[in-house]
Amino acid sequence: MGTLAIVVSLLLLMFFAYRGVTVLILAPIMAALAVILSGDVAVLLPAYTQTFMSALGGYVIQFLPIFLLGALFGQLMADSGAAQALARWITDKLGSRHAILTVVLACAALTYGGVSLFVVAFAVYPIATALFRHAGIPKRLIPAAIALGSFTFTMTALPGTPSIQNAIPIPYFGTNVFAAPGLGIIAAVIMLGLGMVWMLARAGRALRAGEGYGEAEEAGQMPEQGDDPAMPLGLAVLPLLLVVGVNALFTYGIFPHMDFSAMSERYADVDPKRVTGLWALIIALATACVVLIALRLKHWANLRDTVNKGVFGFMLPLFNTASEVGYGAVIASLAGFAIIRDAVLDVAPHNPLISEAIAMGTLAGITGSSSGGMSIALATLGNDYLAMAAKTGISPELLHRVAVLASGSMDTLPHSGAIITLLSICRLTHRKSYGDIAAVTILMPVIALITVIALGTMFGSF
């Protein structure tokens, strides 16, 4: 009965999330339902105040700086004109003859530099409409092109990417955002390569059928710039380079040579190996924000409004994910979860990578969120996977990369908030565009994930 209660709760969570109910209210209600159906009514209120809220608060404490600085940096990039300047430069170099590749690379450059997925979608969409119209490529393919550049290899595969998905495993496995760089690059090449093959094939089929762009009522104009339309390319690229460069400097050059013994005396419960990866990312994002503000100090139309908008923008994504973590903590506290946990861990007892991939992908699909699904899975099973990996000789870095790749393989099912928002930005429907989105954000990442698991099993982390 306890296991059935959990399954019913998860299915209802997915159902109502697809209907647009906010997870802020949905997560505690579904957690309470699981407790009631499992027959533990007497612990309903303690499960909320002690388990749900403790897990939610712990997640907020751990990842608030990453969400805050990431949202602020994305807003600064958008309002400074840096995002548009970089997108326009790529457009000028590749042009409408390579419209799909131009859109994908523009999104990839911005997201790998730390710009929010949604900021990128808003910035690149008007450019994409102009390019696709000129090239005669159907508008219905624009969401898939944006998703390929934003939701796949730059979010989960490329080493050093500052995405929250790549940061979440750090405190669980004691890794950093550059974990398993060789395998990450291989996965990125697979996703980008196969994704482009799919997109070009679909565009070619539409061209042969004489479909054209469609929706002629749109003007397809290039977007307006940010506060200063004349932002030089060098200044636009510098903050993106700082995010990756400063992160790498502290990860490999500074923190490994620091003596943390004095810190250990005051914070005995802090393991430097589990937090320095987060510290490096925080320093990198903060540095990029400060430098971007300073470089454009005399060109901001209203710096205060930009900062406020960026800071306010982090709250909903953070608390959405934290609420899902709280839900996962309640589920993990129920007796029925032991059966589910053992079943998942026994999928491939001699290769925890397979079990980990299934757990991350399944929960990401149910919650419609890569960060939410991975957070739930790691909070409930992270220590088990680390112990299994130690017994089988699998490195934490490989666990990290597989976890991140798996979380990004099933997170874009139709009820995903990111997909619903992207289609809204592009003013398209699931019926018209979701098939291509699914191909590039589910099918290709799954192929990349399977490849990484196979290579990691044979050769280890590299």
Side-chain angles (χ1 to χ4, degrees):
M1 187 63 187
T3 303
L4 179 61
I6 294 173
V7 172
V8 170
S9 172
L10 284 170
L11 291 175
L12 288 175
L13 177 69
M14 181 169 65
F15 175 81
F16 285 111
Y18 179 69
R19 295 298 186 273
V21 179
T22 174
V23 74
L24 291 176
I25 190 66
L26 190 58
I29 290 177
M30 290 300 107
L33 179 64
V35 172
I36 294 171
L37 293 179
S38 65
D40 293 331
V41 180
V43 300
L44 178 59
L45 290 178
Y48 177 70
T49 58
Q50 307 307 120
T51 304
F52 184 95
M53 291 306 300
S54 293
L56 183 150
Y59 187 87
V60 170
I61 290 171
Q62 197 162 57
F63 291 106
L64 185 148
I66 306 298
F67 277 88
L68 188 154
L69 291 170
L72 175 59
F73 179 65
Q75 195 64 49
L76 290 170
M77 285 290 292
D79 288 358
S80 68
Q84 294 89 340
L86 182 59
R88 282 172 175 268
W89 179 79
I90 295 175
T91 300
D92 291 341
K93 293 299 179 182
L94 296 179
S96 59
R97 288 194 308 118
H98 304 286
I100 295 175
L101 182 61
T102 298
V103 172
V104 171
L105 292 183
C107 292
L110 292 170
T111 50
Y112 186 61
V115 181
S116 163
L117 305 178
F118 302 112
V119 171
V120 171
F122 277 111
V124 173
Y125 170 67
I127 295 173
T129 61
L131 289 172
F132 276 49
R133 176 184 293 277
H134 188 268
I137 300 173
K139 178 190 174 183
R140 60 182 174 80
L141 295 178
I142 290 179
I146 293 176
L148 176 58
S150 303
F151 297 178
T152 60
F153 61 98
T154 57
M155 185 179 80
T156 64
L158 286 180
T161 179
S163 68
I164 187 61
Q165 291 80 3
N166 200 28
I168 288 173
I170 292 174
Y172 297 99
F173 298 146
T175 51
N176 58 63
V177 293
F178 296 92
L183 290 170
I185 292 173
I186 291 172
V189 170
I190 292 173
M191 284 188 242
L192 175 59
L194 294 181
M196 283 302 304
V197 169
W198 176 275
M199 293 296 296
L200 292 175
R202 295 287 288 168
R205 178 183 296 180
L207 181 64
R208 291 190 295 272
E211 180 177 345
Y213 177 80
E215 307 209 20
E217 70 276 5
E218 288 194 11
Q221 297 297 316
M222 288 291 189
E224 295 180 359
Q225 289 279 13
D227 292 345
D228 183 0
M231 185 171 192
L233 177 65
L235 295 185
V237 173
L238 179 59
L240 306 182
L241 297 177
L242 284 173
V243 172
V244 179
V246 172
N247 195 343
L249 174 64
F250 277 86
T251 298
Y252 295 111
I254 296 179
F255 286 146
H257 300 95
M258 287 184 64
D259 182 6
F260 291 102
S261 57
M263 182 199 74
S264 300
E265 294 176 1
R266 296 187 60 184
Y267 302 97
D269 59 338
V270 176
D271 181 1
K273 293 181 179 180
R274 290 179 176 263
V275 295
T276 51
L278 289 177
W279 291 349
L281 184 53
I282 290 170
I283 294 170
L285 287 170
T287 301
C289 288
V290 171
V291 169
L292 183 53
I293 290 173
L295 288 174
R296 309 296 289 166
L297 196 56
K298 297 181 180 180
H299 299 276
W300 296 100
N302 194 323
L303 179 58
R304 182 188 63 188
D305 285 354
T306 293
V307 172
N308 287 345
K309 187 176 180 180
V311 170
F312 294 153
F314 90 96
M315 295 182 184
L316 185 58
L318 171 62
F319 280 95
N320 276 342
T321 306
S323 294
E324 291 170 343
V325 172
Y327 168 83
V330 172
I331 295 300
S333 70
L334 300 177
F337 179 75
I339 299 174
I340 297 175
R341 181 195 61 207
D342 293 342
V344 171
L345 294 177
D346 288 341
V347 168
H350 301 296
N351 190 345
L353 298 177
I354 297 174
S355 171
E356 182 187 45
I358 293 173
M360 303 294 162
T362 300
L363 286 170
I366 290 171
T367 61
S369 166
S370 53
S371 57
M374 179 164 49
S375 295
I376 294 173
L378 289 177
T380 55
L381 299 171
N383 290 334
D384 293 312
Y385 287 128
L386 196 58
M388 291 173 66
K391 291 181 181 179
T392 54
I394 293 174
S395 72
E397 288 74 20
L398 183 53
L399 279 179
H400 176 125
R401 188 54 54 207
V402 169
V404 180
L405 287 170
S407 74
S409 64
M410 296 297 292
D411 62 322
T412 52
L413 293 177
H415 65 286
S416 166
I419 296 303
I420 293 170
T421 301
L422 176 60
L423 290 172
S424 176
I425 292 171
C426 298
R427 286 168 282 182
L428 288 164
T429 64
H430 281 76
R431 183 185 297 274
K432 288 186 177 180
S433 298
Y434 182 72
D436 294 300
I437 294 174
V440 300
T441 64
I442 297 177
L443 177 60
M444 308 315 172
V446 166
I447 294 173
L449 173 63
I450 293 172
T451 303
V452 167
I453 291 175
L455 291 175
T457 301
M458 290 187 290
F459 305 109
S461 177
F462 61 88

